[in-house]
Amino acid sequence: MEALRKAPVAVFGNFDKERFLQEIYPLRKPALLKGIPLGTCTSKWTVDYLSTTGGSQEVKVHVASVPQMDFINKNFIYRTLPFDVFVKRAAETVHVEYFISEDEKYYLRSLGVDTRKDIADIRKQFPTLAEDINIPEFFGKDQFFSSVFRISSPGLQLWTHYDVMDNLLIQVRGRKRVVLFSPRDAPFLYLTGDKSEVLDLDTPDLEKYPQFAKAQGYECQLDPALWFHNTIAKDFGVGVNVFWKQLPADCYDKTDIYGNKDPVAASRAMQILDRALKTLDELPDEYRDFYARRMVLRIQSKSYSNHK
Amino acid sequence: MEALRKAPVAVFGNFDKERFLQEIYPLRKPALLKGIPLGTCTSKWTVDYLSTTGGSQEVKVHVASVPQMDFINKNFIYRTLPFDVFVKRAAETVHVEYFISEDEKYYLRSLGVDTRKDIADIRKQFPTLAEDINIPEFFGKDQFFSSVFRISSPGLQLWTHYDVMDNLLIQVRGRKRVVLFSPRDAPFLYLTGDKSEVLDLDTPDLEKYPQFAKAQGYECQLDPALWFHNTIAKDFGVGVNVFWKQLPADCYDKTDIYGNKDPVAASRAMQILDRALKTLDELPDEYRDFYARRMVLRIQSKSYSNHK
């Protein structure tokens, strides 16, 4: 079993907003940002403090009996717990009270107050905790989209996926390994929608996923938009994930509270393409194949960035 | 200068309609058919006989000062000549009367009587000559599309292109080299529509057309639909090219008298695709490129024949 090729993500320290915007952001690549003053959260956010201060409001969490959560085959369930109870459970390895098994894993991706309409914003859903964290303002206030509170059991691994907005993953507590893949590696990731079927990055089944051998992983904590990422919580982990709108606001789907829907123009283009492919289906195999290949050449020459 | 990789086309002899339909046709590959009884044309069709019997009706011909005709950059002109005059001119290497130069090359691709509405059919446009040739009836009468009379000056080379219908190129007189390329090689041919920009197959400019080095040529006389082909008349040549409809008749464009328009479903799919790409253009470069690549993956998984 071959391992995934991995390269380190570039690390940046000693920068301010200006240098970030001029030198780091334009690279459009993952970057690990060190030395950003995050406020008192780094010392305050213990399990006890989080459960006491965060309160007992109900949160919806992912629960799985295995550490590798799989969205495509849904090997997890959603359960609701008071926040304080959840934090304690996520921090312990063996549970006295549990839903599936005594070593089940938990994952919180915080939601808005009205989970169908509101965007996750730690300042609204956890106002007291939000006071402890200083979110760097690298982007304009009007570009802000969401700040997602993420808390996970030790060992929890999240499926590889991409987001459509740029974001900063602020890991406050616990080590988290993040592996990223370039948007260009999409052909090697066996995608279903925005998610990769390849769950086990470290010992991938290359007989089932031969193309995955061509993928190039990068390790770090900051995810630019469209880069595929996969995270493992090495320890019980607490973080805040801030997303902002890189494109003009009207490019995004207004009903998208998670920030994971493709930009309006992209999903429209995809729907139109499906109509084109349905039309091709009227032709027999040999012809359908030929014109499908011609369509690919057309896309490559018209819409790829660096096609010569 | 590297030469084009070429493989021979499979040769078949001693077959009848049944064996052709069962063993040769289903291969969907170029095949050189030998030993088909063509009738008296093989001995009768001399320059004198053709000009006397074919008559002095006007024909529209391609005229170029160079042997490599280029449809993309249109290095030829169309001129009208009486058929008997044309035949004599095409058979001679140096002309006394000419349009451009004394060694200009001629090419006739016969048209219908009403050149805008009628399909080329040697039986209608050259009924007397048609009596001399026995066109093999490998296909149903209702599948017949056209029979095109092709006459060319020695040395004339026609640009590489594909046709959408299966066809039999019956070379009655003069040697003709035909080089074919699989539909799968389309990415290496630098297409503009159905035509390749690479004119000089034998000493291609690989600095300008690097991908062409990957193309695999095949040499022969029979062109299945969608295979790209390029012909050189080694001698003054006379042939009849019979096309038939492999797909149900309503798959083809009804206004297509040349049989070179893509099937209706294919051109509709291409138009729809262009709308999708126009929609993608609303997005900035990085996003457009990413979603263009996702569209390619979608096409490959939905519409390619052998995509696993």
Side-chain angles (χ1 to χ4, degrees):
Chain A
M1 205 69 92
E2 251 178 287
L4 168 70
R5 282 187 299 146
K6 277 186 289 192
V9 160
V11 182
F12 297 88
N14 282 324
F15 59 87
D16 54 16
K17 183 180 171 176
E18 260 49 62
R19 268 199 63 209
F20 173 79
L21 291 177
Q22 278 166 28
E23 295 173 29
I24 304 175
Y25 190 61
L27 300 173
R28 311 298 307 144
K29 286 202 171 146
L32 177 52
L33 307 179
K34 293 216 166 183
I36 298 180
L38 294 179
T40 53
C41 60
T42 49
S43 53
K44 270 190 184 170
W45 286 9
T46 61
V47 176
D48 282 345
Y49 178 84
L50 287 168
S51 44
T52 314
T53 315
S56 58
Q57 58 177 301
E58 300 225 303
V59 287
K60 199 175 156 195
V61 296
H62 297 58
V63 185
S65 58
V66 290
Q68 279 177 350
M69 283 197 188
D70 176 354
F71 192 89
I72 297 172
N73 297 302
K74 283 270 169 69
N75 67 349
F76 57 85
I77 54 175
Y78 292 107
R79 286 293 178 268
T80 300
L81 282 176
F83 181 74
D84 53 348
V85 175
F86 158 71
V87 169
K88 283 177 191 147
R89 288 240 201 132
E92 68 197 12
T93 322
V94 181
H95 316 295
V96 179
E97 289 191 81
Y98 53 81
F99 297 106
I100 317 167
S101 63
E102 61 174 17
D103 62 347
E104 64 192 20
K105 305 290 180 189
Y106 295 87
Y107 175 62
L108 168 72
R109 181 252 182 252
S110 69
L111 301 169
V113 176
D114 178 334
T115 57
R116 290 176 182 277
K117 286 192 201 151
D118 295 344
I119 282 159
D121 185 347
I122 192 174
R123 295 169 302 188
K124 288 184 184 151
Q125 289 101 41
F126 302 89
T128 325
L129 291 175
E131 284 173 19
D132 303 332
I133 185 165
N134 169 50
I135 294 172
E137 297 203 331
F138 291 149
F139 47 91
K141 280 205 189 342
D142 51 331
Q143 285 179 276
F144 171 81
F145 177 72
S146 66
S147 57
V148 181
F149 206 13
R150 298 197 191 271
I151 297 180
S152 43
S153 293
L156 183 94
Q157 183 169 18
L158 214 68
W159 55 86
T160 304
H161 65 284
Y162 70 84
D163 294 303
V164 299
M165 288 181 210
D166 286 334
N167 65 92
L168 216 47
L169 176 57
I170 307 166
Q171 187 67 3
V172 179
R173 204 205 135 119
R175 294 165 299 159
K176 179 171 269 182
R177 187 194 76 168
V178 183
V179 174
L180 297 116
F181 299 92
S182 159
R184 291 291 170 87
D185 278 3
F188 314 138
L189 298 180
Y190 298 85
L191 298 180
T192 296
D194 61 335
K195 295 165 188 78
S196 169
E197 285 178 36
V198 186
L199 294 177
D200 189 353
L201 298 189
D202 298 284
T203 50
D205 181 346
L206 294 181
E207 296 218 345
K208 196 169 171 192
Y209 307 115
Q211 295 290 317
F212 189 74
K214 299 186 191 158
Q216 168 70 58
Y218 294 86
E219 259 176 325
C220 102
Q221 335 285 341
L222 175 73
D223 310 352
L226 305 181
W227 280 69
F228 294 88
H229 45 283
N230 180 291
T231 66
I232 297 183
K234 296 282 198 182
D235 311 296
F236 160 71
V238 182
V240 177
N241 196 179
V242 188
F243 289 82
W244 65 92
K245 299 175 206 163
Q246 186 211 351
L247 306 180
D250 61 0
C251 290
Y252 298 101
D253 185 331
K254 301 259 178 308
T255 67
D256 179 16
I257 57 166
Y258 291 94
N260 63 5
K261 290 197 183 161
D262 292 322
V264 180
S267 51
R268 220 181 323 129
M270 221 47 124
Q271 281 164 9
I272 299 172
L273 174 65
D274 280 347
R275 286 210 296 279
L277 297 183
K278 211 160 175 189
T279 303
L280 268 198
D281 279 345
E282 294 168 23
L283 295 170
D285 224 55
E286 178 188 11
Y287 282 75
R288 199 194 57 235
D289 180 85
F290 180 66
Y291 289 102
R293 285 168 197 269
R294 297 216 54 198
M295 285 169 75
V296 164
L297 291 173
R298 180 91 129 231
I299 295 175
Q300 287 170 335
S301 77
K302 282 200 170 180
S303 306
Y304 276 25
S305 282
N306 59 352
H307 197 76
K308 291 272 147 58
Chain B
M1 206 69 90
E2 250 178 288
L4 169 67
R5 280 187 300 145
K6 275 185 290 195
V9 161
V11 181
F12 298 87
N14 282 324
F15 58 88
D16 54 16
K17 184 181 171 177
E18 261 47 62
R19 268 199 63 209
F20 173 77
L21 293 177
Q22 277 165 29
E23 294 172 29
I24 304 174
Y25 191 61
L27 299 174
R28 309 300 306 146
K29 287 200 170 149
L32 178 51
L33 306 181
K34 293 216 165 177
I36 297 180
L38 294 177
T40 53
C41 60
T42 49
S43 54
K44 272 189 182 169
W45 286 10
T46 61
V47 175
D48 282 345
Y49 177 85
L50 286 168
S51 46
T52 314
T53 315
S56 59
Q57 60 179 301
E58 302 225 301
V59 288
K60 200 175 156 195
V61 297
H62 298 58
V63 185
S65 58
V66 291
Q68 279 177 347
M69 285 199 186
D70 177 354
F71 192 90
I72 297 171
N73 297 302
K74 282 270 169 65
N75 66 350
F76 57 87
I77 54 174
Y78 292 106
R79 285 294 178 269
T80 299
L81 282 174
F83 181 74
D84 53 347
V85 175
F86 157 71
V87 169
K88 285 178 191 146
R89 289 242 199 130
E92 69 196 12
T93 323
V94 182
H95 316 294
V96 179
E97 288 191 84
Y98 52 80
F99 297 106
I100 317 166
S101 63
E102 59 174 18
D103 61 349
E104 64 193 17
K105 305 290 179 190
Y106 295 87
Y107 176 61
L108 168 71
R109 180 256 183 249
S110 69
L111 301 169
V113 176
D114 178 336
T115 58
R116 290 176 184 277
K117 284 192 202 152
D118 294 344
I119 282 159
D121 185 349
I122 191 172
R123 296 168 302 188
K124 288 185 184 150
Q125 290 101 42
F126 303 89
T128 325
L129 291 174
E131 284 172 21
D132 303 332
I133 185 166
N134 169 49
I135 294 174
E137 296 204 333
F138 292 148
F139 46 91
K141 281 206 186 345
D142 51 330
Q143 285 179 277
F144 170 82
F145 178 71
S146 66
S147 57
V148 182
F149 207 13
R150 298 196 190 271
I151 298 179
S152 43
S153 294
L156 182 93
Q157 182 169 19
L158 213 68
W159 56 84
T160 305
H161 66 284
Y162 71 86
D163 294 304
V164 299
M165 286 180 213
D166 286 334
N167 64 93
L168 215 48
L169 177 57
I170 306 166
Q171 187 68 2
V172 179
R173 205 205 135 116
R175 293 166 300 160
K176 180 170 269 183
R177 187 195 75 167
V178 183
V179 174
L180 297 117
F181 300 91
S182 159
R184 291 291 170 87
D185 278 5
F188 314 138
L189 299 179
Y190 297 87
L191 298 178
T192 296
D194 62 334
K195 296 166 186 77
S196 167
E197 283 179 37
V198 186
L199 293 178
D200 189 351
L201 299 189
D202 298 285
T203 51
D205 182 346
L206 294 181
E207 296 219 344
K208 196 169 171 195
Y209 306 116
Q211 295 289 317
F212 188 73
K214 298 185 192 159
Q216 167 71 58
Y218 293 86
E219 258 176 326
C220 101
Q221 334 285 342
L222 174 72
D223 313 350
L226 306 181
W227 280 70
F228 294 89
H229 45 280
N230 181 290
T231 67
I232 297 181
K234 294 282 195 180
D235 310 296
F236 160 68
V238 182
V240 177
N241 198 178
V242 187
F243 289 81
W244 65 92
K245 299 175 205 162
Q246 186 211 351
L247 306 180
D250 61 359
C251 291
Y252 298 101
D253 186 330
K254 301 262 177 303
T255 67
D256 179 17
I257 57 166
Y258 291 94
N260 63 4
K261 290 197 184 160
D262 292 322
V264 180
S267 53
R268 221 181 322 128
M270 221 47 127
Q271 281 166 8
I272 299 172
L273 174 66
D274 280 348
R275 285 210 297 280
L277 296 182
K278 212 160 176 188
T279 303
L280 267 198
D281 279 345
E282 294 169 23
L283 295 169
D285 226 55
E286 178 190 11
Y287 280 75
R288 200 193 58 236
D289 179 86
F290 179 66
Y291 289 102
R293 285 168 198 269
R294 298 216 52 198
M295 285 169 75
V296 164
L297 291 174
R298 179 92 129 228
I299 295 173
Q300 288 170 335
S301 76
K302 282 199 170 181
S303 306
Y304 275 25
S305 283
N306 60 353
H307 196 75
K308 291 274 145 57

